[in-house]
């Protein structure tokens, strides 16, 4: 069988970016008969995928989608976190602000990144960010310039509602403590929020999904419920499992 090789590398300090890609591709790798190997050295962490040549284009497409997640969430979070001064917010409010800014145009950011990745089979994640994405970083700097340094807690709700108000039609599902997309794939973009506290991860996961609607199959933690109602209002729905769980 003819095989093609795909290689993804990252600095060892950002190894979780490679792990995110591997974990989210593990089902595809197994299903298509690919071979994979994770390797960690002194300075670099890498994922090698040997792909049957007949599935090369499919696997490359999946790989590039996950690389775009890494750039559009992990690298964007770090980029914004270093540059946004939001002294009027608590630490968790600041995390919500950063998450909402990432989510506001995540689909557009991903499309741009994927466009820059086409026809490559060796992906150096930090190199891609540093040398191929100049226009994207310029756009991010422009966004940052509109965030006032004295941003206040009282402004946060209205700001996030404004950012997500036009996200209609895309629905995610919450059940049993985790968030799924419309195909019931587990969403784990919060794994890419480097340095984040992990608090309100359900709210952040839903924001990062770019969803316009939420369907609940089980009750939310109290704090997450509070913020989701603040941000999404009547776009939070309840399915039958939710009420059966309450009654059970």
């Amino acid at each position: 069988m003819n095989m093609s090789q795909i290689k993804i590398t990252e600095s060892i300090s950002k190894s979780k970016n490679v792990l995110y890609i591997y974990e989210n591709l593990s089902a595809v790798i197994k299903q298509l008969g690919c071979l994979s190997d994770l390797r960690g050295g002194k300075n670099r962490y890498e994922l090698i995928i040997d792909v049957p040549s007949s599935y090369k284009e499919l696997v490359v497409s999946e790989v590039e989608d996950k690389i775009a997640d890494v750039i559009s969430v992990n690298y964007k979070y770090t980029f914004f976190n270093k540059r946004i001064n939001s002294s009027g917010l608590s630490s968790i409010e600041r995390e919500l602000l950063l998450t909402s800014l990432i989510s506001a145009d995540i689909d557009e950011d991903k499309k741009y990144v994927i466009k820059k990745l086409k026809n490559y089979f060796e992906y150096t994640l930090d190199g891609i960010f540093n040398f191929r994405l100049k226009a994207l970083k310029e756009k991010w700097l422009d966004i940052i310039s509109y965030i006032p340094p004295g941003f206040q807690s009282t402004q946060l709700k209205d700001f996030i509602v404004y950012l997500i108000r036009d996200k209609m039609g895309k629905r995610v599902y919450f059940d049993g403590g985790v968030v799924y997309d419309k195909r019931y794939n587990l969403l784990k973009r919060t794994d890419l929020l480097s340095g984040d506290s992990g608090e309100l991860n359900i709210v952040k996961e839903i924001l990062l999904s770019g969803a316009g609607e939420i369907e609940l199959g089980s009750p939310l933690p109290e704090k997450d419920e509070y913020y989701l109602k603040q941000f999404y209002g009547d776009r939070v729905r309840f399915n039958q499992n939710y009420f059966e769980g309450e009654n059970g």
Side-chain angles (χ1 to χ4, degrees):
M1 182 186 295
N2 292 328
M3 303 290 281
S4 300
Q5 188 174 91
I6 300 169
K7 184 177 181 180
I8 303 143
T9 74
E10 175 66 289
S11 70
I12 199 72
S13 64
K14 286 181 167 284
S15 60
K16 74 176 188 177
N17 288 338
V18 178
L19 288 171
Y20 173 87
I21 294 168
Y22 172 73
E23 289 170 1
N24 281 274
L25 292 178
S26 58
V28 171
I29 289 171
K30 183 178 180 180
Q31 182 180 2
L32 299 181
C34 305
L35 301 174
S36 61
D37 185 22
L38 285 167
R39 302 173 185 173
K42 183 177 180 180
N43 299 310
R44 306 293 296 174
Y45 198 78
E46 63 185 26
L47 169 63
I48 308 293
I49 307 173
D50 290 308
V51 185
S53 295
S54 56
Y55 296 124
K56 177 178 66 177
E57 291 186 8
L58 174 59
V59 175
V60 164
S61 176
E62 293 290 332
V63 166
E64 291 184 347
D65 181 74
K66 298 311 171 192
I67 290 173
D69 274 351
V70 168
I71 300 296
S72 302
V73 179
N74 178 268
Y75 275 87
K76 190 175 183 180
Y77 181 91
T78 302
F79 191 90
F80 278 43
N81 192 33
K82 288 179 179 177
R83 293 168 174 83
I84 289 179
N85 176 11
S86 48
S87 56
L89 301 177
S90 68
S91 59
I92 187 58
E93 288 169 340
R94 188 174 190 275
E95 289 176 15
L96 289 173
L97 172 64
L98 295 176
T99 304
S100 64
L101 287 169
I102 291 168
S103 71
D105 51 3
I106 192 169
D107 292 338
E108 291 79 8
D109 286 355
K110 286 189 62 175
K111 286 177 185 176
Y112 177 82
V113 173
I114 289 170
K115 183 178 178 181
K116 293 296 183 180
L117 296 178
K118 289 300 181 185
N119 301 318
Y120 288 93
F121 296 94
E122 184 166 344
Y123 305 92
T124 305
L125 301 187
D126 43 358
I128 290 166
F129 180 74
N130 290 330
F131 301 111
R132 294 192 207 164
L133 305 177
K134 180 181 178 182
L136 185 64
K137 287 181 277 189
E138 288 175 349
K139 184 185 96 169
W140 291 352
L141 285 172
D142 188 51
I143 292 169
I144 289 167
S145 71
Y146 289 99
I147 306 300
F151 200 94
Q152 298 295 312
S153 299
T154 53
Q155 299 172 281
L156 183 64
K157 175 193 168 184
D158 289 343
F159 184 72
I160 295 179
V161 169
Y162 170 78
L163 290 178
I164 66 176
R165 68 179 180 178
D166 295 325
K167 293 182 181 294
M168 302 298 291
K170 185 175 181 180
R171 181 177 295 193
V172 294
Y173 302 85
F174 170 80
D175 196 15
V178 291
V179 182
Y180 302 90
D181 68 13
K182 64 181 180 181
R183 296 186 180 89
Y184 282 89
N185 296 310
L186 182 63
L187 299 179
K188 299 191 291 183
R189 284 177 174 169
T190 50
D191 290 350
L192 296 171
L193 295 178
S194 180
D196 182 89
S197 69
E199 191 176 357
L200 293 177
N201 261 6
I202 295 166
V203 174
K204 293 174 193 170
E205 197 68 70
I206 290 170
L207 287 171
L208 291 173
S209 74
E213 298 177 357
I214 307 157
E215 184 170 319
L216 302 181
S218 62
L220 292 156
E222 185 176 347
K223 199 168 184 179
D224 291 87
E225 181 180 16
Y226 170 79
Y227 280 102
L228 283 177
K229 285 182 176 178
Q230 292 283 307
F231 302 151
Y232 284 90
D234 61 5
R235 288 192 280 171
V236 179
R237 325 279 181 177
F238 305 88
N239 66 30
Q240 188 62 36
N241 291 339
Y242 182 94
F243 299 104
E244 290 175 354
E246 278 195 327
N247 295 331

